[in-house]
Amino acid sequence: MTLKPSSFLTSSVSAISGTVSNLNNELLEYVNPEKPTHDHSAVYYQRFFISKFNLGNQAIEAKFSTPMLVRDGDTVSVSGYPKGDRFQVLAYVNQTQQVSKHENWIILGLGALFFLAIALGLLNSELVAEGALVPKLFLIGFVGVAFYMGYRALLIREAISLLQN
């Protein structure tokens, strides 16, 4: 098992390599509360595929929108950040199966720009200029979501670059 810290984003992203053991795959599914009761379409479900396993003595947890392509005994490199007693995966490379996966950081970045554009439009509105409280709260909310999405996109991009080195 090797640990390689990042120098970007205050060393919050690091990479770990090793052999997978104790693999446990789960499916976490959320249902939209506004979904009609007679409609059983998958469009109304939000699915997260959770893989929990060990790399050496480190507990690993990966949540992706598609199943993680990994089996017990595979040699894997993961990059992410520690969260509690587990290591949260942002990107991975399975050397055994020659597969690499990560979430789409470009879409997160575009989403951040979209929310910033909405915040800029709201900032130029008369309601904010007049000092109304609700538009200011929306403005703060949109800016907060934009910064979170941008930060998350940068984390994923940094995780990908750690695995490419």
Side-chain angles (χ1 to χ4, degrees), residues 16-32:
I16 300 174
S17 297
T19 304
V20 175
S21 62
N22 300 327
L23 178 63
N24 180 19
N25 290 317
E26 300 174 7
L27 175 66
L28 183 61
E29 196 169 61
Y30 293 104
V31 178
N32 183 352

Side-chain angles (χ1 to χ4, degrees), residues 78-94:
V78 297
S79 59
Y81 56 93
K83 184 176 179 183
D85 62 341
R86 295 194 176 271
F87 187 82
Q88 285 295 138
V89 176
L90 295 171
Y92 72 94
V93 175
N94 186 337

Side-chain angles (χ1 to χ4, degrees), residues 27-28 45-50 62-68 89-90 92 101-104:
L27 175 66
L28 183 61
Y45 295 94
Q46 178 66 43
R47 291 182 176 92
F48 294 101
F49 296 90
I50 303 169
K63 294 179 186 173
F64 289 106
S65 57
T66 59
M68 190 173 180
V89 176
L90 295 171
Y92 72 94
K101 296 278 184 176
H102 55 82
E103 292 295 338
N104 196 337

